[in-house]
Amino acid sequence: QVQLVESGGGLVQPGGTLRLSCAASGSISSIGVMGWFHQAPGKQRELVAQITSSGRTDYADSVSGRFTISRGGAKNTVYLQMGGLKPEDTAVYYCHAEGLTTYFRAFNSWGQGTQVTVSS
């Protein structure tokens, strides 16, 4: 079983910055991709950014140039540096990871979510 724990959400003024962190733990053999999704009230969960084990990154158009995703040295952590925050970035942000367990079974895990609120 693989667990993801997020931290770093909160309240920030428009134009401000936040850094989200996510750590994966459990019976992990390898992680192929880690990413961040967000879900605003009444809307579907959407991809914000993701990064592969080789370092390839993808961003939603709405955050490209403002957010940066990166993985930690241990490769089981992922960060989302958020800048130029806008009220429309307000949402619950979920960490996501896909990979293989030590039993060589595929996993697809989600964190519990962390609230990001952008408001003056």
Side-chain angles (χ1 to χ4, degrees), residues 47-48 58-66 86:
L47 175 69
V48 176
D58 292 296
Y59 294 91
D61 290 343
S62 60
V63 307
S64 183
R66 299 188 296 122
K86 304 175 182 180

Side-chain angles (χ1 to χ4, degrees), residues 2-13:
V2 175
Q3 299 83 37
L4 303 179
V5 177
E6 304 116 332
S7 61
L11 173 64
V12 64
Q13 292 187 342

Side-chain angles (χ1 to χ4, degrees), residues 16-90:
T17 63
L18 274 178
R19 188 185 193 221
L20 305 183
S21 301
C22 173
S25 62
S27 303
I28 300 170
S29 174
S30 63
I31 298 179
V33 60
M34 296 188 80
W36 293 91
F37 288 69
H38 68 193
Q39 186 168 20
K43 295 188 176 181
Q44 290 188 332
R45 192 172 296 188
E46 300 176 330
L47 175 69
V48 176
Q50 64 182 14
I51 183 168
T52 69
S53 58
S54 63
R56 192 191 80 182
T57 57
D58 292 296
Y59 294 91
D61 290 343
S62 60
V63 307
S64 183
R66 299 188 296 122
F67 293 7
T68 302
I69 190 169
S70 61
R71 287 179 73 164
K75 302 298 184 184
N76 286 356
T77 55
V78 66
Y79 306 98
L80 185 68
Q81 182 67 43
M82 310 164 69
L85 283 160
K86 304 175 182 180
E88 50 264 42
D89 295 319
T90 296

